[in-house]
């Protein structure tokens, strides 16, 4: 039997001793829906603040003005900041997880808001992305403080509610208001890999206008759907070109265009006079977002050109820049990789991901950021954003220990 008694051992023991409490904490978070849309997220923030208060963490509630929230198509947002300060000097490390999630959809065999534990897995919408890291980050911070070792600097726990819509009313809003001023940041993960780079994302809404008319006399109408079909053909053809350019970042492949939503028409016997297409363009870190948007708009306009009676409106819905590693991220990366490798029993190294996240909002402001949290080997294994989303509890336990150990490395006096 090992007789070591290092600070890491003390942290691990605390996590083990309080793990049942951590699971109950996560269950309570999953049981409050945060479907976005509609985006009524304040009730979850208030519940989270109450749960944090039970173990002595005072959460500052930062409510985003209702008019601003409404402009973004959401119902309510209250972001939480928990500031824990230790000895003088040292770094402030922000730990940011988001509570807003996509609606559960169909196909569940477990209650998406039940937090049910079956065979070592906790099921529910956001169990894996990223309410699990509300618990990872909170209990890692508690473990650090319980270790009884001299510390410097501090921790800012940031629990925000606008990741699904880009983060501008979540972390960006807190940073702009000066509610948090961290030196380093760890963002919620979706696997137990250490992620230092991710894709960017451009989303456009394309409205194709024609002229509605009766299908019995189509010559009296201008078919917006036929025009939209030409646009779709051009967009999907562009994917063939995008596949030719691979990213140099491990874990990221190539850019991609996805048409995620099409709306139009009024009835089966009516020529559609208006069609709306929502387009998602994933950008590898090497791409220039300005050039990408200009190219995409040009493709759409060219495809629609020359069709009598057809006009096109293009509206940008979202522009999320790619995240690239900053030079100052080494302390985060080295510590997370070392402890994750030790605790998960396999090599864990820094890599990229094709997703986009709130972490970019920190790196854009010069704050070195890394994505890490509770999750499986790959995001697909957790069914994140799909039916029966879940977190393996042993992965949650080990990730909490990794974060606690990393905080110790960064904040020990």
């Amino acid at each position: 039997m090992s007789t070591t008694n290092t600070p890491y051992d003390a942290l691990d023991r605390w996590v083990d001793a309080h793990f049942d409490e951590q699971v109950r904490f996560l269950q309570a978070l999953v049981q409050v829906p945060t479907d976005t849309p509609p985006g009524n997220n304040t009730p979850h923030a208030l519940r989270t603040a109450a749960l944090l208060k039970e173990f002595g963490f005072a959460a500052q509630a930062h409510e985003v003005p209702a008019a601003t929230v409404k402009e973004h198509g959401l119902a309510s947002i209250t972001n939480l900041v928990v500031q824990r300060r230790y000895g003088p000097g040292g770094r402030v490390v922000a730990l940011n997880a988001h509570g807003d999630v996509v609606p559960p959809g169909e196909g569940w065999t477990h209650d998406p808001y039940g937090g049910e534990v079956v065979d070592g897995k906790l099921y529910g919408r956001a169990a894996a992305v990223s309410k699990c890291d509300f618990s990872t980050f909170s209990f890692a911070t508690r473990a650090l403080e319980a270790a009884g070792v001299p510390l410097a600097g501090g921790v800012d726990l940031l629990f925000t509610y606008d990741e699904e819509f880009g983060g501008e009313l979540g972390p960006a809003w807190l940073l702009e208001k000066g509610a948090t001023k961290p030196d380093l940041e760890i963002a919620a993960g979706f696997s137990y890999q250490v992620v230092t780079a991710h894709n960017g994302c451009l989303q456009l809404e394309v409205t194709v206008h024609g002229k509605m008319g009766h299908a019995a006399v189509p010559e009296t109408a201008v078919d917006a759907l036929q025009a939209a079909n030409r646009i779709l053909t051009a967009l999907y053809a562009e994917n063939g070109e995008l596949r030719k350019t691979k990213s140099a970042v491990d874990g990221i492949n190539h850019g991609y265009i996805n048409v995620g939503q099409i709306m139009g028409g009024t009835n089966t016997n009516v020529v559609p006079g208006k069609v709306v297409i929502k387009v998602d363009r994933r950008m590898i870190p090497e791409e220039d977002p300005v050039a990408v948007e200009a190219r995409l708009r040009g493709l759409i306009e060219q495809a629609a050109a020359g069709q009598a009676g057809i006009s096109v409106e293009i509206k940008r819905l979202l522009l999320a820049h790619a995240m690239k590693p900053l030079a100052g991220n080494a302390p985060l990366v080295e510590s997370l990789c070392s402890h994750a490798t030790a605790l998960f029993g396999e090599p864990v190294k820094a890599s990229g991901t094709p997703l986009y996240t709130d972490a970019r909002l920190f790196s854009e402001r010069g704050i070195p950021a890394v994505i890490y949290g509770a999750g499986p080997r790959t995001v697909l294994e957790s069914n994140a954003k799909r039916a029966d989303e879940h977190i393996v509890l042993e992965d949650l336990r080990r990730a909490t220990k990794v974060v606690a150990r990393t905080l110790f490395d960064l904040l020990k006096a």
Side-chain angles (χ1 to χ4, degrees):
M1 179 182 295
S2 173
T3 58
T4 61
N5 191 25
T6 69
Y8 298 148
D9 297 322
L11 294 168
D12 293 351
R13 286 195 296 270
W14 191 96
V15 171
D16 287 336
H18 293 80
F19 191 64
D20 287 346
E21 180 188 356
Q22 183 177 353
V23 172
R24 291 193 297 272
F25 178 79
L26 176 53
Q27 287 176 306
L29 296 177
V30 169
Q31 288 162 358
V32 181
T34 48
D35 298 352
T36 304
N40 184 26
N41 291 312
T42 290
H44 189 274
L46 298 178
R47 176 61 172 148
T48 302
L51 292 168
L52 292 167
K53 186 177 181 180
E54 291 179 5
F55 46 76
F57 280 11
Q60 305 165 19
H62 294 266
E63 183 178 3
V64 181
T68 303
V69 175
K70 186 176 180 180
E71 287 174 6
H72 285 72
L74 303 174
S76 69
I77 294 178
T78 299
N79 299 307
L80 301 179
V81 178
V82 177
Q83 293 186 320
R84 308 296 293 176
R85 293 296 181 265
Y86 311 123
R91 308 175 176 100
V92 173
V93 181
L95 306 176
N96 178 212
H98 69 93
D100 59 310
V101 294
V102 297
E106 300 178 351
W108 288 74
T109 63
H110 300 270
D111 181 353
Y113 308 115
E116 182 183 6
V117 175
V118 179
D119 296 331
K121 301 175 182 177
L122 190 154
Y123 287 85
R125 177 53 87 227
V129 182
S130 74
K131 290 177 183 177
C132 59
D133 285 332
F134 278 47
S135 79
T136 304
F137 295 159
S138 297
F139 279 73
T141 302
R142 292 183 67 191
L144 174 73
E145 295 180 2
V149 296
L151 300 170
V155 171
D156 280 2
L157 296 173
L158 310 177
F159 299 134
T160 55
Y161 293 89
D162 187 33
E163 198 272 347
E164 299 295 345
F165 276 61
E168 296 300 326
L169 301 185
W173 197 80
L174 292 175
L175 289 163
E176 289 166 5
K177 299 294 182 183
T180 182
K181 299 178 180 179
D183 300 296
L184 299 169
E185 191 250 358
I186 301 175
F190 25 78
S191 74
Y192 56 75
Q193 297 302 296
V194 176
V195 175
T196 59
H198 66 58
N199 273 347
C201 180
L202 169 66
Q203 293 181 351
L204 300 179
E205 180 181 84
V206 182
T207 304
V208 183
H209 295 280
K211 181 181 178 182
M212 186 170 61
H214 200 292
V217 282
E219 63 275 8
T220 66
V222 179
D223 194 332
L225 185 54
Q226 284 195 36
N229 185 53
R230 289 181 60 174
I231 294 172
L232 293 171
T233 299
L235 293 176
Y236 287 127
E238 180 73 355
N239 275 334
E241 294 300 312
L242 295 177
R243 290 187 181 93
K244 297 176 182 178
T245 304
K246 306 285 187 178
S247 175
V249 178
D250 182 34
I252 297 177
N253 197 351
H254 53 73
Y256 187 73
I257 296 173
N258 180 67
V259 179
Q261 195 172 36
I262 302 175
M263 299 166 287
T266 56
N267 202 2
T268 311
N269 62 348
V270 177
V271 177
K274 176 182 173 182
V275 173
V276 178
I277 304 168
K278 292 188 177 180
V279 181
D280 180 300
R281 167 68 157 89
R282 297 299 160 126
M283 300 174 285
I284 62 177
E286 292 87 347
E287 290 186 289
D288 175 8
V290 174
V292 168
E293 182 166 1
R295 167 71 177 171
L296 193 56
R297 286 175 176 268
L299 281 172
I300 294 166
E301 290 167 353
Q302 184 177 1
Q307 300 180 78
I310 292 294
S311 64
V312 175
E313 294 178 59
I314 304 173
K315 175 185 175 182
R316 183 204 289 175
L317 300 177
L318 170 73
L319 177 58
H321 290 87
M323 175 181 165
K324 302 176 183 179
L326 296 182
N329 73 357
L332 282 171
V333 174
E334 292 169 3
S335 185
L336 287 168
C337 288
S338 173
H339 294 303
T341 296
L343 287 162
F344 283 87
E346 63 179 85
V348 176
K349 63 178 182 177
S351 62
T353 178
L355 305 173
Y356 75 91
T357 75
D358 282 348
R360 75 188 194 283
L361 299 168
F362 293 86
S363 62
E364 286 174 2
R365 291 162 172 78
I367 302 166
V370 169
I371 301 168
Y372 182 81
R377 189 73 170 83
T378 69
V379 68
L380 290 178
E381 295 174 44
S382 68
N383 282 348
K385 297 192 177 182
R386 298 186 296 170
D388 284 345
E389 179 178 348
H390 62 270
I391 185 74
V392 175
L393 292 181
E394 193 56 31
D395 288 342
L396 178 68
R397 183 199 302 266
R398 291 185 290 187
T400 304
K401 292 178 180 179
V402 170
V403 175
R405 289 181 176 200
T406 297
L407 290 175
F408 174 80
D409 291 344
L410 296 171
L411 301 178
K412 60 186 176 183

